[in-house]
Amino acid sequence: MPLITVSGLPSSGKTTRALQLKAGLERKIAEVNSDLTVYLINDESLSISKETYRELHSEKATRGAQISAVKRHLGKNTIVIFDNLSYIKGFRYQLFCEAKALSTNACLVHVGAPKDMCVAWNKSRPEGEAWPEDLFDALVFRYEEPNPMSRWDSPLFPIAHEDTEADIPIDEIWDTLVLRKPKPPNAATVLKPVTAGNYLTELDKITTSVVNEIIDLHKTSPGGLVKLDAYDPVVQLPMRLTVASLNRIRRNFVTINKMKPIEVSRIRPHFIEFAIKNLSADM
């Protein structure tokens, strides 16, 4: 089901508006007796630190985690609200393409507030929750304001800082996302199925890479809580671990998934879960 991307300057009130959107849509769902649910995704729910926006490498990993979360929750019975800066038009285009590839509608909600008001609101936030001043200025400078003439920024619903919760156009958003028939995906947005040969190559390459990462982490943190990558879940390594046991688990996983292929994007998280579960069972 549909995707709502919330965009705006840092400390412009995006999360407040996202929560109001969620509440308004849930009231609409109850009113029409629909079985839809509304799911809110933001950096807090993904445990993403503001500091990840300082460096290109860490921000790239952050965007990967955000896109993965959106794709994971977009479903036929779910409206996803993605509450984020979404300050780069290329990132908004990527979100637009993800929705279109699933033949579902999408819209953009732009939370508008003057920079000086955002500065004041940021300074009033509790210690540890405010954006550092230099990072705040950098993000404001890089912000690419939505353009309703661009198809990835349309339909665009602006919400001004002086608007009340009652001013949010819930009925219009509902009509756009739920009642309007979605356009068919373009050839460019349709996910191409992998061939059998490519799938087996990816299956082998990804599982081997995970095995090597686990071995390297175990050398420095046996029995510790670790993250294999920026957007992998936290896992606990066993105290004792051998290369032979890991390779045996990898071969079992490959054998199972040769017979019943899964999406390439799901191989890594599924194998991590499979490996840790089986390592724990062996101890």
Side-chain angles (χ1 to χ4, degrees):
M1 281 301 279
L3 170 66
I4 302 173
T5 300
V6 180
S7 179
L9 295 176
S11 295
S12 59
K14 295 182 302 301
T15 297
T16 297
R17 295 306 192 181
L19 291 169
Q20 291 171 347
L21 270 169
K22 184 174 185 291
L25 288 169
E26 286 174 340
R27 285 193 295 269
K28 186 71 177 180
I29 288 168
E31 177 187 321
V32 301
N33 196 27
S34 169
D35 61 352
L36 293 175
T37 58
V38 185
Y39 194 89
L40 176 64
I41 298 172
N42 55 28
D43 285 357
E44 288 73 24
S45 70
L46 298 176
S47 300
I48 292 173
S49 165
K50 291 179 173 60
E51 293 297 319
T52 62
Y53 291 95
R54 283 193 182 277
E55 303 292 338
L56 180 62
H57 176 74
S58 59
E59 186 174 350
K60 184 178 179 181
T62 290
R63 289 201 296 272
Q66 292 163 340
I67 288 284
S68 295
V70 169
K71 289 170 66 176
R72 190 163 59 246
H73 292 288
L74 275 177
K76 64 178 182 178
N77 293 317
T78 306
I79 298 174
V80 173
I81 300 175
F82 179 51
D83 162 29
N84 185 253
L85 294 170
S86 303
Y87 67 94
I88 300 172
K89 62 184 178 183
F91 183 50
R92 297 197 297 267
Y93 174 72
Q94 189 176 359
L95 290 163
F96 164 82
C97 289
E98 293 294 347
K100 191 156 189 180
L102 294 172
S103 298
T104 191
N105 289 319
C107 73
L108 183 72
V109 170
H110 180 215
V111 179
K115 179 187 173 182
D116 56 352
M117 184 172 289
C118 296
V119 169
W121 285 347
N122 190 56
K123 288 181 178 178
S124 69
R125 300 178 80 167
E127 186 176 351
E129 294 183 16
W131 290 90
E133 186 175 343
D134 61 330
L135 182 55
F136 177 95
D137 290 339
L139 291 170
V140 170
F141 178 76
R142 300 204 298 262
Y143 189 76
E144 296 175 326
E145 190 162 321
N147 178 2
M149 300 302 292
S150 300
R151 66 187 187 279
W152 55 86
D153 287 340
S154 178
L156 177 63
F157 294 95
I159 300 177
H161 65 91
E162 66 266 24
D163 286 348
T164 66
E165 184 172 357
D167 294 322
I168 298 176
I170 295 295
D171 287 339
E172 289 87 344
I173 292 173
W174 177 268
D175 290 347
T176 296
L177 296 181
V178 180
L179 302 185
R180 182 183 298 177
K181 184 178 179 180
K183 295 179 181 179
N186 298 330
T189 64
V190 176
L191 297 175
K192 309 292 192 302
V194 294
T195 65
N198 284 344
Y199 175 75
L200 294 178
T201 299
E202 290 298 313
L203 182 62
D204 183 72
K205 182 173 70 176
I206 293 170
T207 53
T208 299
S209 171
V210 171
V211 165
N212 292 335
E213 290 177 56
I214 291 176
I215 291 169
D216 288 342
L217 286 168
H218 187 264
K219 290 176 182 176
T220 57
S221 185
L225 291 170
V226 299
K227 286 174 76 75
L228 276 74
D229 205 346
Y231 43 86
D232 283 334
V234 174
V235 297
Q236 181 158 15
L237 297 177
M239 286 297 298
R240 292 180 296 165
L241 183 151
T242 65
V243 176
S245 63
L246 264 177
N247 280 327
R248 174 180 54 77
I249 290 169
R250 189 186 80 83
R251 286 194 299 271
N252 290 342
F253 182 84
V254 168
T255 299
I256 293 168
N257 288 280
K258 273 182 181 178
M259 296 182 289
K260 190 176 180 181
I262 59 176
E263 292 179 20
V264 170
S265 62
R266 297 169 60 197
I267 293 174
R268 180 182 175 90
H270 277 225
F271 178 57
I272 292 172
E273 182 180 353
F274 183 86
I276 297 301
K277 181 178 179 180
N278 281 273
L279 283 170
S280 300
D282 287 346
M283 295 296 110

